[in-house]
Amino acid sequence: MTRIDDTFARLQASDKKAFVSYIMAGDPDYDTSLAVMRGLPAAGVDIIELGVPFTDPMADGATIQLAGQRALDGGMTLEKTLQMARDFRTGDTTTPIVLMGYYNPIYSRGVDAFLVAAKDAGIDGLIVVDLPPEEDEELCIPAQAAGLNFIRLATPTTDDKRLPKVLTNTSGFVYYVSITGITGAAAAQATDVAPEVARIKAATDIPVIVGFGITTPEAAENIAGVADGCVVGSAIVAQIADGKPVEDVLAFVKTLSDGAHRA
């Protein structure tokens, strides 16, 4: 049982939906992003997705691309991202952390060395968007052997033929991408999401969390209401990009988590 598994068990026992928030490590700088991260649990965040900045983030829209560029310009690296997790863990040993990013920095570090470092830093799960199920031997299976959840994305184009392959070796939760395209590109609609979530849940017992296109407390409530929870990323990152003080960013996050938890 990972912290992710424990969190979903606790939420389900309380008949609550999960609220997951994404931030980019090192955006706009190390200290500010760490301060935001440390405040997320008190703002109602159940699981933290921590973005690893990368030079070619093909799944991300402009908001998160720019966040990654700001982080890279400030000297952020994979190792510093892991250090950020270690720093967070000095004050919080229970909130799950999921690293979200791309395979190149992990490959460059070396899979075995990365997994040891990630586990030591208190990472609970990985989302690596450019490694399909056909490449499970590369990272997914070694990660799970090391005690890390490997979280897979399903999308509106994941048909019934492809879905079993996507679900194979997936653990922690399934991340359903509510729209086709990149992050921050359109608004998620519960009426479109509900039948897709039901289709996935018919094929797996793993929780299904919905992300992309959720920007308001109302949207968080509506989407969480048809799934096991929701993820918000771009809307939070945009607050940071606007230079909002940490306390204002966290107050905004609280409105979103309150919406998801009302579902």
Side-chain angles (χ1 to χ4, degrees), residues 92-103:
D92 186 314
T93 59
T94 57
T95 304
I97 304 172
V98 175
L99 278 190
M100 184 170 187
Y102 298 83
Y103 185 46

Side-chain angles (χ1 to χ4, degrees), residues 76-179:
M76 202 63 180
T77 62
L78 174 59
E79 178 51 46
K80 288 182 179 178
T81 302
L82 293 176
Q83 184 58 49
M84 191 169 151
R86 290 187 198 100
D87 290 344
F88 175 83
R89 284 284 176 235
T90 63
D92 186 314
T93 59
T94 57
T95 304
I97 304 172
V98 175
L99 278 190
M100 184 170 187
Y102 298 83
Y103 185 46
N104 184 277
I106 297 170
Y107 178 80
S108 298
R109 174 72 180 267
V111 167
D112 291 343
F114 164 74
L115 291 175
V116 170
K119 190 72 175 171
D120 176 71
I123 301 302
D124 303 289
L126 305 175
I127 300 174
V128 183
V129 297
D130 55 347
L131 271 184
E134 287 76 12
E135 306 296 334
D136 274 358
E137 296 287 345
E138 285 280 329
L139 180 62
C140 172
I141 291 172
Q144 303 212 92
L148 298 172
N149 289 127
F150 199 87
I151 295 145
R152 193 88 66 192
L153 274 63
T155 74
T157 60
T158 305
D159 60 20
D160 289 339
K161 182 179 179 181
R162 180 65 175 168
L163 184 60
K165 188 71 172 176
V166 169
L167 295 176
T168 300
N169 296 325
T170 298
S171 65
F173 61 90
V174 179
Y175 187 137
Y176 179 68
V177 176
S178 64
I179 56 174

